[in-house]
Amino acid sequence: MSHADVPVDQRKRVFAWVMWDPGTQPFASVITTFVFAVYLVGDSFGPKDRTVTALSWAMSLAGLAIALLAPVMGQWAGRRERKVTALKWLTWVLAVMSGLLFFVKPHPSYLVLGLVLLGIGTVISDVGSSLYNGMLDDVAEPDRVGRISGLGWGMGYLGGIIALLVIYIAWIKPQAGWFGATSHESMNIRVAMLFCAAWILVLTLPTFLILRDNPRPVDQSESKFRGFRALGHAYAELWRSVVRIWHVNRNTFIFLIASAFFRDGLNGVFQFGGPLARQTFGFSASDVLVFGIVANLVAGISTMLLGRLDDRIGPKRL
């Protein structure tokens, strides 16, 4: 099916879905990997062994929270067909978390605040990503899943490139950045966090203006589950799903286990690529940003091209 053969309404829905990834990408590229995390393990916050270890603990706890929350959050939103609403609220809170990073001053006493905000934002970002990925089938025809998935992921990297370029040109490279922000009290880094918050709010607007939920009424058997009972019910249902997959499709179960290890490895690269470049290999702040721009460029082009190949030869073979 060619692009011209796709109905206009369907193209609008694909556009709206695609825009969420570049819209939220500054949290991943700028905050988690190449700018704020590097800032947080800098000398201003204490000895690098202490700051890097603290960052490791914070990200480990965030990863545990994601593992506990993402499956049941997706199950709840999917069962009630409220994925768009859940994603919208998570995105808005992510923007708030990004903006609050402005208040993390370059002093050891602010390290905990920075780690807490970064950890909470990471949980929100990853839970939101799981909901976002689960919406792919709602916007893509079966024969176009690969290219639309690749387009969304690739556009995310493109968003990361543009955001990193703007921050590099506006605040990192010049001695006095936009709005008079300088390196004094790391104001240039902190103002960049406000930029990330505004970016998230503005670029994700198409997602929430175009996509709509089709909420399903809660039946009587579900209405009795509230609060902690609802959480327990969600985990029980999740366990039943895992057991069912084990008995019905063993390959899917094995894939999920492999995917968990693979994603943990990726998260390690994403979360510590920037800090390692700065602390271990001696990159300057400018070098780290250039490193991030090049990495996002290669990843973005590759993802878009391989998404099309996914539709041709199948995801497993690819």
Side-chain angles (χ1 to χ4, degrees), residues 49-131:
D49 289 345
R50 175 174 175 262
T51 55
V52 172
T53 301
L55 179 64
S56 301
W57 275 106
M59 292 298 98
S60 297
L61 291 173
L64 178 61
I66 292 162
L68 292 173
L69 292 175
V72 294
M73 184 70 183
Q75 184 189 131
W76 175 87
R79 184 186 297 125
R80 289 163 175 76
E81 294 294 340
R82 293 189 178 274
K83 286 180 281 191
V84 177
T85 298
L87 185 63
K88 177 173 65 178
W89 283 104
L90 287 171
T91 303
W92 289 352
V93 175
L94 183 66
V96 171
M97 291 294 113
S98 301
L100 288 175
L101 295 175
F102 171 81
F103 298 101
V104 180
K105 296 181 180 181
H107 304 290
S109 58
Y110 285 88
L111 177 62
V112 173
L113 174 63
L115 291 172
V116 169
L117 292 174
L118 181 62
I120 293 173
T122 300
V123 173
I124 293 168
S125 176
D126 278 34
V127 172
S129 293
S130 71
L131 289 176

